[in-house]
Amino acid sequence: FIRVTDFGIEDIFTKNFEVSPDALPSYLPDHVKEFFLSQEVVGTAVYTTHKKFDANRQVVGYETFEMDELESEGTKKVVALSGPVLDTLENGRVLIVDELDARLHPLLTRFILQLFNSQENNQNAQFIFNSHDTNLLEISSLRRDQIWFTEKDRYGCTHLYSLVEYEYNNKKVRNDASFRKDYILGKYGAIPILRSLNLEGRNGD
């Protein structure tokens, strides 16, 4: 999974370490720290291996990165998602992810989504997520019945509705409609209402 997502990672391995007071987050209350330390908790650090090249682009060795310190936020998210995604597909489970597209390239988001709409999903696994990535609103990625919108009204209440049930000008949305284009045009609602920003007379405040 990590190889095909093109992060240049050759290998992943872990090392266990004894949790010391310095290794615990500073925001933890003292009684929580004492509990962890009294249990002799063992921590796990994740490391990645990358190829190292010379000036002639020949491999001359490998470099080890401590993931939390040296890998990008996008790489860390894909690694964190890889286990739940594969476990869900292999065992027919339900996976719920909040803000799937955060810190991910749009093609990576689509790749993960398409795994659940492909022959790889032979155990009827289900993937539930929310996203602001309008690139996913394509017929090649999602069917009408797989798309739901949320819209907040002026009273602060959020309404949830399905695209397959939505009507525009008293007509149902067609299977071959341009979901993304029509959404951006506001045909389905669930878009922010942006007002003009008047900066005149603010005197630099």
Side-chain angles (χ1 to χ4, degrees):
F1 185 93
I2 299 302
R3 285 179 185 272
V4 300
T5 47
D6 194 28
F7 284 101
I9 295 175
E10 293 296 311
D11 194 13
I12 296 178
F13 62 94
T14 61
K15 289 182 180 179
N16 292 335
F17 60 91
E18 292 185 5
V19 176
S20 64
D22 295 336
L24 295 174
S26 59
Y27 58 79
L28 287 179
D30 290 339
H31 70 277
V32 176
K33 292 182 180 179
E34 291 174 4
F35 170 78
F36 276 109
L37 296 174
S38 67
Q39 302 299 311
E40 298 182 356
V41 177
V42 175
T44 302
V46 181
Y47 296 84
T48 58
T49 302
H50 296 258
K51 289 180 179 178
K52 187 164 58 176
F53 298 88
D54 62 13
N56 298 315
R57 300 181 180 179
Q58 299 298 312
V59 178
V60 294
Y62 294 86
E63 195 72 27
T64 298
F65 290 177
E66 203 283 321
M67 179 169 291
D68 281 342
E69 294 183 2
L70 296 176
E71 293 289 1
S72 70
E73 293 300 315
T75 300
K76 288 188 278 190
K77 181 167 183 177
V78 168
V79 172
L81 281 174
S82 62
V85 166
L86 295 176
D87 177 66
T88 302
L89 289 169
E90 292 175 357
N91 297 288
R93 304 184 193 277
V94 177
L95 178 62
I96 302 175
V97 177
D98 184 29
E99 296 189 1
L100 174 65
D101 56 313
R103 302 189 301 276
L104 291 184
H105 189 281
L107 292 181
L108 284 174
T109 307
R110 179 174 293 187
F111 166 74
I112 294 173
L113 171 60
Q114 288 178 340
L115 287 175
F116 288 85
N117 279 340
S118 70
Q119 294 181 350
E120 298 293 335
N121 187 6
N122 53 26
Q123 299 296 321
N124 297 318
Q126 189 173 7
F127 189 29
I128 301 172
F129 66 94
N130 63 349
S131 172
H132 293 97
D133 185 359
T134 59
N135 293 302
L136 300 178
L137 293 176
E138 300 289 348
I139 299 173
S140 59
S141 299
L142 292 167
R143 304 186 308 268
R144 288 182 308 159
D145 61 295
Q146 294 176 315
I147 300 172
W148 290 69
F149 296 110
T150 59
E151 183 169 43
K152 185 177 291 186
D153 63 23
R154 61 177 180 169
Y155 304 106
C157 297
T158 299
H159 303 271
L160 177 68
Y161 52 94
S162 168
L163 181 59
V164 76
E165 299 173 349
Y166 189 79
E167 291 186 2
Y168 181 74
N169 289 338
N170 296 319
K171 293 182 179 179
K172 296 283 189 181
V173 178
R174 294 170 46 180
N175 284 323
D176 60 349
S178 176
F179 305 150
R180 180 178 181 275
K181 179 182 177 181
D182 290 345
Y183 170 73
I184 294 296
L185 291 174
K187 290 185 177 181
Y188 307 144
I191 59 174
I193 306 300
L194 304 176
R195 301 178 178 86
S196 61
L197 181 63
N198 185 1
L199 298 179
E200 293 182 6
R202 292 184 60 84
N203 298 321
D205 293 340

